[in-house]
Amino acid sequence: MERDIYDEDHEAFRDVVKEFVKRYVTNEKREQWDAAGEIDRATMLAAGEAGIIGLSVPDEFGGAGMLQDYRFRAVVNEEIIAAGAGSLAGAFGIQDDLAVPYLVHMGTDEQKAKWLPGMATGEVLGALAMTEPGAGSDLRGIKTTAKRVEGGYVVNGAKTFISSGKTADIVVTFVKTGEGNRPDAFSLLILENGMEGFDHGKKLHKMGFQGHDTAELSFSDVFVPEENLIGGKEGLGFVQLMMNLPLERLSIGVAGAAAAQAALDWTVEYTKDREAFGERIIDFQNTRFKLADVATTVDALWAYIDRALKAYAEGKLSADEAAKVKFWATEREWEVLDTCVQLFGGYGYITEYPIARAFLDARVHRIYGGTNEIMRDIVSRPIAGKR
Ligand SMILES: Cc1cc2nc3c(=O)[nH]c(=O)nc-3n(C[C@H](O)[C@H](O)[C@H](O)COP(=O)(O)OP(=O)(O)OC[C@H]3O[C@@H](n4cnc5c(N)ncnc54)[C@H](O)[C@@H]3O)c2cc1C
């Protein structure tokens, strides 16, 4: 089914991303990222130079100024994932969807001027730290505290599973600045790599996204100046997180659809090439029927995602609509990937093949950004008349 949400500007931008892929997303590079467990800074700087990260950073701070138009980010996701580089797509996503928005939409003028120019060039990489060893879904159960002192805060606690946590220069960190768990007991503070008492724990070994770092962070009496309080006002952290969650969830839905599309394309190509019993794999009725299912699912995914992209651009994508997109798209992604791996036979299990890596990457889409159970909880509450 033809998609009609992209105009000439998006397609011209797609050419820029394709050119970047040709130059920087080689097999050698991918193997390097996987072995190191992180994306090298030179690649992030090249992405900044090419203008494919920091997309929502306003022009005055050196970015592309595409504030509400997530279609440009969707183009980046589609092209990088189609190139079999899920880890790079993940690193770009953390920068543009999880870190930059807190400064662009909620930062003070000083915070914007200090960090946004570097975030557009890749010189300043960001991360978002909410999850703790004892609290993931239940965000208000966090224990990391920020105690008010003269000129700032003293932070104590720990975070885990933080994407880009090792490579990030600044970490937007969800902390308790008040008592209890009322929404106004929380704030977002920017912790800077190198601050005294801010340490990285052990490297976490994941089943997928091998080339993107995921870290534990620990804070021991870290002094954070008050200028690093996002928005300059205490007690807004929970509301600020809620404001960005629709974007985070839409971004995971887009990544899921892009992976499903890529899997379909790789599988059609592979099954046309490979033979068994004197026939091409694609000529078996089972293969064609499975591909018919997958192709239809991918069409439906784009139809739904494109509608969400449009709603987001118009400022109309609500939290529960974004939750629907996230869980539905990532579950369809999972089914598609599983079917496609099967059609690759044994090669589908070998991580040299993009299909195997995409399958392993896909698993966490149903877990992070809020688990799919939490998404269903969000969607079902208004249906059931609950708050
Ligand atoms: C690779 C990776 C990258 C990540 N990146 C980041 C990051 O950059 N920043 C960050 O802050 N976090 C990040 N996370 C953390 C992620 O968001 C959490 O793992 C996720 O929200 C789930 O929290 P949890 O692991 O504590 O699971 P738990 O909350 O302990 O959940 C365990 C199970 O119980 C279910 N459950 C929990 N509550 C309910 C309920 N009310 N109703 C029904 N079922 C429920 C869950 O759905 C799940 O199946 C990342 C995680 C991974 C694996």
Side-chain angles (χ1 to χ4, degrees):
M1 209 176 275
E2 202 179 325
R3 299 176 64 199
D4 61 2
I5 54 151
Y6 295 129
D7 62 26
E8 293 167 3
D9 290 345
H10 301 107
E11 293 308 335
F13 180 66
R14 187 184 298 280
D15 291 340
V16 173
V17 183
K18 281 188 167 157
E19 189 53 39
F20 175 86
V21 166
K22 219 188 297 167
R23 286 187 65 185
Y24 297 101
V25 189
T26 57
N27 271 342
E28 197 189 343
K29 273 300 228 182
R30 197 191 37 70
E31 280 164 21
Q32 221 177 314
W33 299 328
D34 285 358
E38 63 188 57
I39 306 294
D40 60 300
R41 182 62 67 120
T43 301
M44 298 304 284
L45 290 169
E49 173 86 32
I52 64 172
I53 57 169
L55 296 190
S56 65
V57 172
D59 323 357
E60 58 189 297
F61 300 115
M66 295 153 186
L67 274 182
Q68 274 299 119
D69 191 349
Y70 194 77
R71 288 176 292 180
F72 291 96
R73 277 281 307 130
V75 166
V76 174
N77 256 330
E78 287 170 29
E79 296 302 324
I80 304 288
I81 289 172
S87 293
L88 184 62
F92 288 173
I94 295 299
Q95 179 80 345
D96 272 32
D97 305 331
L98 265 73
V100 164
Y102 288 97
L103 288 153
V104 169
H105 298 292
M106 306 160 208
T108 61
D109 291 345
E110 293 73 27
Q111 289 165 353
K112 289 179 190 185
K114 182 168 179 190
W115 283 299
L116 285 178
M119 295 186 96
T121 59
E123 283 158 302
V124 176
L125 297 181
L128 173 67
M130 303 174 283
T131 308
E132 300 192 352
S137 304
D138 180 15
L139 268 182
R140 288 201 252 168
I142 63 156
K143 298 235 169 351
T144 298
T145 54
K147 291 261 179 280
R148 196 81 172 93
V149 293
E150 173 90 37
Y153 295 87
V154 172
V155 177
N156 280 290
K159 298 284 174 183
T160 193
F161 305 143
I162 306 310
S163 303
S164 300
K166 177 168 170 269
T167 46
D169 303 290
I170 59 171
V171 181
V172 176
T173 309
F174 188 53
V175 294
K176 281 192 80 164
T177 40
E179 295 302 319
N181 71 351
R182 283 171 31 156
D184 62 3
F186 304 91
S187 300
L188 288 173
L189 279 179
I190 297 178
L191 270 76
E192 300 172 48
N193 198 358
M195 280 178 160
E196 209 179 323
F198 175 7
D199 289 313
H200 298 90
K202 70 173 186 301
K203 184 176 162 185
L204 298 172
H205 296 278
K206 311 189 291 287
M207 67 164 84
F209 288 112
Q210 299 288 349
H212 185 201
D213 55 305
T214 306
E216 291 178 334
L217 309 177
S218 71
F219 318 119
S220 175
D221 287 333
V222 184
F223 175 76
V224 182
E226 60 198 2
E227 299 85 71
N228 286 21
L229 176 67
I230 296 259
K233 197 159 173 259
E234 217 176 276
L236 296 180
F238 191 74
V239 175
Q240 288 166 330
L241 281 187
M242 295 303 120
M243 280 166 65
N244 197 51
L245 280 177
L247 172 63
E248 183 178 343
R249 289 169 184 162
L250 172 64
S251 76
I252 298 171
V254 169
Q261 175 74 64
L264 170 63
D265 296 343
W266 296 328
T267 309
V268 169
E269 195 186 333
Y270 180 82
T271 55
K272 277 184 180 165
D273 199 44
R274 180 141 177 110
E275 293 187 354
F277 301 96
E279 276 189 74
R280 300 182 312 166
I281 302 290
I282 202 165
D283 291 326
F284 297 122
Q285 189 188 54
N286 175 66
T287 308
R288 287 184 289 102
F289 282 15
K290 292 282 185 208
L291 288 174
D293 289 346
V294 166
T296 309
T297 302
V298 168
D299 271 359
L301 269 170
W302 285 131
Y304 192 24
I305 293 287
D306 288 352
R307 202 155 156 195
L309 286 169
K310 196 161 167 283
Y312 182 76
E314 291 165 357
K316 291 186 195 153
L317 188 72
S318 67
D320 60 326
E321 281 165 350
K324 284 180 192 163
V325 169
K326 195 265 177 182
F327 91 73
W328 192 82
T330 56
E331 297 200 358
R332 299 297 76 72
E333 172 197 18
W334 181 247
E335 292 161 6
V336 164
L337 263 299
D338 187 46
T339 303
C340 291
V341 163
Q342 190 70 16
L343 293 175
F344 266 75
Y347 293 101
Y349 198 68
I350 305 299
T351 54
E352 200 179 299
Y353 282 73
I355 190 76
R357 294 196 306 276
F359 176 76
L360 294 170
D361 293 349
R363 189 60 188 86
V364 81
H365 280 163
R366 293 161 58 208
I367 298 172
Y368 65 23
T371 67
N372 282 7
E373 291 72 38
I374 296 297
M375 297 303 100
R376 286 184 169 88
D377 193 53
I378 293 170
V379 173
S380 66
R381 279 180 176 273
I383 298 173
K386 286 179 179 247
R387 280 193 63 228

